[in-house]
């Protein structure tokens, strides 16, 4: 590749630079990004486990700190990659007879990018944003209600146990109250289960994915198949949720909805326990 010398990064010499070694190193650094991504996935999964098992907040907080550190590493690595690539492009365009100090140029560009750092940068890190959203959603799904610190499914279970105890003791249940409670319970279960149903298959989701654009969720296999089918026919894929205005879905719009998957599993476990 035309350029300057391969052996020296000091000023004053002439010759040609081969950037093949630099570009090879860049490729290796990009591979390291996948390691950061895997680390973020692991930290996110552990944090969700801690919330689901109601482990003390300090442990969850440590996972939050780990995610921040991963996001900072990712930002720093991105800045370094940009600085190196920008330097390469600059040297190729300048075609100077003198060999520039590549290390100095990269450092200057890197520091310029680092000086612009702010906490708002984390909002551009998709995995960090997703982690925060999933944590919030799972907490909302599992959050105990004010009534004795129980969520709605726990209250239903306790009411069923209370009725069974009254019947064993020979006490007459309050039929009118039971009828009202039955309607309320059905509404609670129905409303919750509605969130678990895929708008395509009309079945409970096992591997839900969320649309980043409109926020609706679907069974992964079903929505992927639908999008692929539409795109093969050169058509736009519309969100299958009735009333949604998102008319141009893409694969890149989909993210795993780990919080919903865990909420569905938690609900099904409680339902199985109640039936035993």
């Amino acid at each position: 590749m035309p350029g300057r010398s391969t052996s020296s990064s000091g000023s004053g010499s002439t010759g040609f630079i081969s950037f093949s070694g630099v570009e090879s190193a860049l490729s290796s650094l990009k591979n390291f990004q996948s390691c950061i991504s895997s680390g973020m996935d692991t930290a996110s999964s552990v944090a969700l486990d801690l919330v689901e098992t109601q482990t003390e907040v300090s442990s969850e907080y440590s996972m939050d700190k780990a995610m921040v550190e991963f996001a900072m590493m990712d930002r720093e690595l991105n800045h370094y990659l940009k600085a190196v690539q920008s330097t390469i492009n600059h040297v190729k365009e300048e075609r100077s007879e003198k060999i520039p100090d590549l290390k100095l140029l990269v450092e200057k560009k890197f520091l310029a990018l680092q000086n612009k750092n702010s906490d708002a940068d984390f909002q551009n890190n998709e995995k960090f944003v997703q982690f925060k959203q999933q944590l919030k959603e799972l907490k909302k799904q599992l959050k105990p209600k004010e009534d004795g610190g129980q969520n709605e499914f726990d209250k239903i279970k306790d009411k069923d146990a209370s009725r069974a105890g009254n019947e064993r003791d020979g006490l007459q249940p309050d039929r009118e109250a039971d009828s009202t409670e039955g309607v309320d319970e059905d509404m609670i279960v129905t409303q919750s289960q509605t969130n678990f149903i895929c708008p395509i298959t009309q079945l409970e989701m096992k591997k839900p994915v969320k649309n980043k654009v409109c926020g609706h969720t679907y069974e992964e296999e079903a929505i992927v198949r639908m999008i692929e089918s539409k795109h093969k026919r050169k058509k736009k894929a519309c969100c299958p949720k009735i009333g949604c205005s998102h008319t141009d879905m893409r694969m890149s719009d989909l993210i795993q909805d780990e919080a919903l998957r865990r909420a569905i599993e938690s609900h099904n476990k409680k339902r199985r326990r109640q039936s035993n």
Side-chain angles (χ1 to χ4, degrees), residues 159 163 166 172-185:
K159 287 174 184 175
R163 289 196 195 99
N166 287 340
Q172 292 295 321
D174 186 337
R175 300 295 179 188
E176 185 176 348
D178 275 357
S179 176
T180 305
E181 289 172 0
V183 172
D184 291 342
E185 291 163 10

Side-chain angles (χ1 to χ4, degrees), residues 189-230:
V189 174
T190 301
Q191 289 169 359
S192 177
Q193 288 178 327
T194 298
N195 298 328
F196 300 163
I197 301 300
C198 171
I200 302 171
T201 65
Q202 293 301 309
L203 298 172
E204 186 176 87
M205 291 177 278
K206 291 183 172 61
K207 197 173 180 183
V209 290
K210 177 180 282 188
N211 188 326
K212 293 186 293 185
V213 178
C214 62
H216 294 129
T217 52
Y218 334 91
E219 181 65 53
E220 183 178 37
E221 184 179 351
I223 192 64
V224 167
R225 192 165 55 239
M226 189 200 85
I227 294 175
E228 287 178 343
S229 174
K230 290 284 187 180

Side-chain angles (χ1 to χ4, degrees), residues 14 17 25 32 39 47 53-54 59 67 69 71 82-84 88 93 102-103 119 129-130 142 203 224 236 246 265:
T14 59
I17 297 177
F32 183 65
T53 56
Q54 298 181 347
S59 298
M67 287 296 286
E69 289 174 7
K82 285 180 182 178
V84 174
I88 291 174
E93 290 171 4
L102 298 180
K103 182 179 178 182
D119 290 343
V129 172
Q130 186 180 344
L142 303 175
L203 298 172
V224 167
K236 291 183 178 180
H246 187 202
E265 287 184 356

Side-chain angles (χ1 to χ4, degrees), residues 120-157:
D121 296 339
F122 297 143
Q123 298 307 312
N124 297 322
N125 188 303
E126 187 172 314
K127 283 192 178 290
F128 185 80
V129 172
Q130 186 180 344
F131 162 74
K132 287 293 191 182
Q133 290 175 343
Q134 295 285 317
L135 213 57
K136 182 179 178 181
E137 285 297 317
L138 187 60
K139 285 178 180 179
K140 187 168 69 175
Q141 293 279 357
L142 303 175
K143 183 180 179 182
K145 307 301 178 185
E146 291 183 348
D147 194 2
Q150 295 174 304
N151 60 36
E152 298 297 342
F153 293 112
D154 288 336
K155 287 193 285 183
I156 293 171
K157 184 178 178 182

Side-chain angles (χ1 to χ4, degrees), residues 69-114:
E69 289 174 7
F70 276 125
M72 289 173 67
M73 279 193 291
D74 187 61
R75 178 178 64 187
E76 187 171 341
L77 181 55
N78 278 324
H79 284 172
Y80 189 75
L81 291 170
K82 285 180 182 178
V84 174
Q85 192 61 60
S86 176
T87 299
I88 291 174
N89 294 339
H90 174 76
V91 171
K92 287 179 178 178
E93 290 171 4
E94 287 292 311
R95 295 183 174 275
S96 172
E97 288 302 315
K98 290 185 178 181
I99 299 175
D101 189 330
L102 298 180
K103 182 179 178 182
L104 183 61
L105 283 174
V106 170
E107 286 179 351
K108 283 182 177 179
K109 291 179 181 294
F110 175 69
L111 288 174
L113 290 169
Q114 286 290 90

